C-alpha cells in the first residue's frame, strides 16, 4: 500500500470558524479561538498523520 499526502488551506472571511475547524480536525486546541475578528494574525500549520496518509493543514488569517 502506498502512503498518500496532501495540503489543505482553510480560507474564508473573518469569524466564520476557520480556527475552530482546524482544532476540531486535529482533536486539540492548536489555534486560538475568540469572538474577536483578526485573532489569527499569522498562518498556523498542523500535520495529521495516520498509517495510510498525511495531511498538512494551514489555518490562514482573514482574506
Amino acid at each position: 500500500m502506498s502512503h498518500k499526502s496532501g495540503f489543505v488551506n482553510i480560507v474564508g472571511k473573518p469569524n466564520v470558524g476557520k480556527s475552530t475547524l482546524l482544532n476540531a480536525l486535529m482533536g486539540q486546541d492548536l489555534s486560538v479561538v475568540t469572538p474577536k475578528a483578526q485573532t489569527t494574525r499569522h498562518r498556523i500549520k498542523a500535520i495529521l498523520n495516520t498509517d495510510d496518509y498525511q495531511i498538512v493543514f494551514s489555518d490562514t488569517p482573514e482574506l
Side-chain angles (χ1 to χ4, degrees), residues 22 26 30 45-49 54-57:
L22 176 67
M26 297 305 296
L30 298 174
K45 293 182 183 176
I47 302 172
L48 177 63
N49 288 304
Q54 180 182 65
I55 303 173
V56 179
F57 291 98

Side-chain angles (χ1 to χ4, degrees), residues 39-53:
T39 301
T40 304
R41 301 252 177 174
H42 303 283
R43 182 175 28 183
I44 297 172
K45 293 182 183 176
I47 302 172
L48 177 63
N49 288 304
T50 71
D51 291 337
D52 299 324
Y53 61 86

Side-chain angles (χ1 to χ4, degrees), residues 10-31:
I10 304 171
V11 297
K13 295 187 179 210
N15 289 5
V16 294
K18 298 181 298 287
S19 296
T20 301
L21 175 62
L22 176 67
N23 289 343
L25 291 169
M26 297 305 296
Q28 55 184 312
D29 292 337
L30 298 174
S31 291

